[in-house]
Amino acid sequence: MESARVDRWLWAVRITKTRPDAAAACRGGHVRVNDRPAKPATPVSPGDVVCARVGERTRTVEVLRVIQKRVGAADAVTCYLDRTPPPPPVSAAPVAARDRGAGRPTKRDRRVLDKWRAQQR
């Protein structure tokens, strides 16, 4: 059965930018293979589920194919099945939005903002 080191596989399928970044994520406890903490040398094989926290996102992927060398983005996507849930929608405050270049708020704008903030509490 073919397998590869998890740090090398994360780098090869372009989930992390560099292999040292992948190894550091493993050492920091940000990578799990089949719900177990993974060291950089943990082997991954087809069918394994890898959860990796990269930056602010946690990516959950299922290994479909094991590769050792870094490949192009189009080929890398065929090596895993992305099971990452979509990010939650971001809501913007419509009252606090101002036109670009409008300058500082006037007294009237400040009163409207203060009234709106009091209602939010």
Side-chain angles (χ1 to χ4, degrees):
M1 180 143 204
E2 76 180 302
S3 64
R5 291 173 54 114
V6 70
D7 63 338
R8 188 167 185 165
W9 186 82
L10 288 171
W11 165 75
V13 297
R14 298 176 172 263
I15 291 178
T16 59
K17 287 188 177 187
T18 64
R19 188 169 171 196
D21 286 347
C26 291
R27 283 192 300 274
H30 301 292
V31 178
R32 298 177 72 80
V33 176
N34 296 330
D35 287 332
R36 291 188 179 146
K39 293 182 179 180
T42 302
V44 292
S45 56
D48 289 344
V49 176
V50 179
C51 294
R53 182 162 176 81
V54 180
E56 297 295 317
R57 281 183 72 189
T58 300
R59 303 271 312 265
T60 304
V61 296
E62 181 180 343
V63 180
L64 297 178
R65 191 172 55 141
V66 176
I67 57 174
Q68 301 289 334
K69 301 273 184 176
R70 192 167 171 97
V71 294
D75 293 334
V77 175
T78 64
C79 296
Y80 62 87
L81 181 62
D82 197 356
R83 297 186 186 270
T84 306
V90 180
S91 62
V95 175
R98 292 182 49 84
D99 294 331
R100 186 173 174 92
R104 296 178 61 182
T106 62
K107 279 187 176 182
R108 183 174 183 273
D109 293 338
R110 173 60 70 198
R111 287 186 195 119
V112 169
L113 282 172
D114 289 342
K115 184 178 178 183
W116 178 76
R117 285 185 184 137
Q119 289 174 354
Q120 297 299 318
R121 293 182 196 169

